[in-house]
Amino acid sequence: MSTELPSFIDRFRRPEYTGENRCTPCTIVNVAIAVVLGAALTLVAIPFGIGVFALSLAAIYLRGYLVPGTPTLTKRYFPDWFLAAFDKHETSETVPRESDVEPEEVLSTAGVIRPCEEIDDLCLDDQFRNAWHDSMARVEEEGAEKSDLGAILDVDEDDLKFEEHDQAFLARLEGRHLGQWESHAALVADLAAARELRDRYPDWEALTVDDQSRVLSGLRIFLEECPECGGTVVPEQETVKSCCRSMDVVAANCQNCDARLLEVEQDR
């Protein structure tokens, strides 16, 4: 009997819409519907209304929604700014903050990027490319992620904790969210670049952490070799689906190990 009940309940579960995949707007809408429906039915019979409300909550808990098609309707008709507020898709990019700092200007002033010789575009300076790759190799070999990040953020490295969720790589300090990267490889690239930029850009330390992050993530666009597996970095456009919405992104992935180095919404 004890095994039959869980098995019976499992038939109704929809893991694609529950747990970490639960869509908060869908849940809010369906709970509101359950409240209205239960309240209306209590006018007919209080026990009946309470019973329907309880069953509705159970359905929302097990399936993620009460009304069929809610996830699709939510993505289609709710405004994107509202869905983004509840989106659980892990990405290092947040809503851009107003800033006078232009990553391209910082990198050009530091001599990190320059006009390409053969095409009308910007390329990495060869000397910086070699120094950057040497620094990435050092971080990987020494396992210096916590010490380097602690120095940048001026916190004790022993208090730093790293977490991985799917491909996202997070740094926390005493439970607080400190930073987020698309992967461990992206973190290594940023830490190594920060080390080199500190010597090449006189005002680097005067930049806010947010502005430093914008510069470093912009620099990752120029990576051609993965810092983690040595594979070729392939840029591409993708449509990423999360619990609440779909969005077009520009991404850069390591071909050999599939580590994601960069992901930004296309309209940014």
Side-chain angles (χ1 to χ4, degrees):
M1 184 67 176
S2 59
T3 58
E4 290 179 1
L5 183 58
S7 177
F8 175 76
I9 292 176
D10 285 341
R11 296 179 187 176
F12 295 93
R13 292 186 187 278
R14 296 291 301 273
E16 65 269 35
Y17 298 124
T18 57
E20 292 184 355
N21 297 322
R22 183 178 294 278
C23 174
T24 304
C26 296
T27 302
I28 293 172
V29 169
N30 281 266
V31 169
I33 293 172
V35 169
V36 173
L37 181 61
L41 291 176
T42 56
L43 298 177
V44 178
I46 293 178
F48 183 54
I50 294 175
V52 169
F53 178 65
L55 288 173
S56 298
L57 291 182
I60 295 169
Y61 175 76
L62 293 172
R63 299 177 62 82
Y65 58 87
L66 176 63
V67 179
T70 299
T72 301
L73 294 173
T74 299
K75 287 182 181 181
R76 182 177 301 169
Y77 295 112
F78 275 40
D80 191 67
W81 62 264
F82 179 77
L83 296 176
F86 296 96
D87 197 3
K88 297 185 182 68
H89 175 64
E90 300 291 357
T91 175
S92 67
E93 297 295 327
T94 56
V95 176
R97 182 183 57 82
E98 290 295 328
S99 173
D100 294 330
V101 175
E102 291 293 337
E104 184 178 312
E105 182 179 339
V106 172
L107 296 174
S108 296
T109 302
V112 169
I113 58 175
R114 55 177 175 73
C116 302
E117 294 181 358
E118 299 179 357
I119 58 174
D120 184 18
D121 204 349
L122 293 171
C123 293
L124 275 183
D125 175 75
D126 290 338
Q127 184 181 10
F128 177 82
R129 179 188 290 105
N130 294 334
W132 190 14
H133 279 280
D134 288 345
S135 290
M136 285 188 282
R138 176 195 63 82
V139 174
E140 282 278 281
E141 291 170 4
E142 298 178 5
E145 294 92 336
K146 286 189 176 181
S147 60
D148 282 14
L149 185 60
I152 292 173
L153 300 177
D154 193 23
V155 298
D156 189 338
E157 64 177 282
D158 293 332
D159 295 329
L160 284 173
K161 295 190 182 302
F162 290 142
E163 298 177 7
E164 285 191 81
H165 298 284
D166 295 326
Q167 285 193 332
F169 201 83
L170 288 79
R172 296 189 183 278
L173 177 68
E174 298 177 349
R176 292 185 292 110
H177 179 278
L178 282 185
Q180 182 172 310
W181 295 262
E182 289 85 346
S183 64
H184 174 259
L187 170 65
V188 171
D190 280 5
L191 293 176
R195 182 185 179 93
E196 298 304 319
L197 283 167
R198 193 179 297 119
D199 298 330
R200 287 173 165 79
Y201 188 70
D203 296 326
W204 180 253
E205 299 293 346
L207 297 179
T208 66
V209 172
D210 285 341
D211 283 333
Q212 288 181 1
S213 177
R214 292 176 64 238
V215 173
L216 294 172
S217 62
L219 182 57
R220 270 185 262 136
I221 295 172
F222 295 91
L223 270 176
E224 298 176 350
E225 182 179 312
C226 181
E228 199 158 56
C229 62
T232 302
V233 176
V234 180
E236 53 193 358
Q237 294 180 344
E238 299 178 5
T239 298
V240 176
K241 294 183 179 180
S242 63
C243 68
C244 296
R245 59 179 183 144
S246 299
M247 56 186 172
D248 294 327
V249 300
V250 176
N253 300 315
C254 298
Q255 195 168 32
N256 288 1
C257 58
D258 204 33
R260 176 152 295 194
L261 288 170
L262 181 70
E263 180 183 302
V264 293
E265 286 194 55
Q266 194 166 6
D267 60 359
R268 292 184 189 168

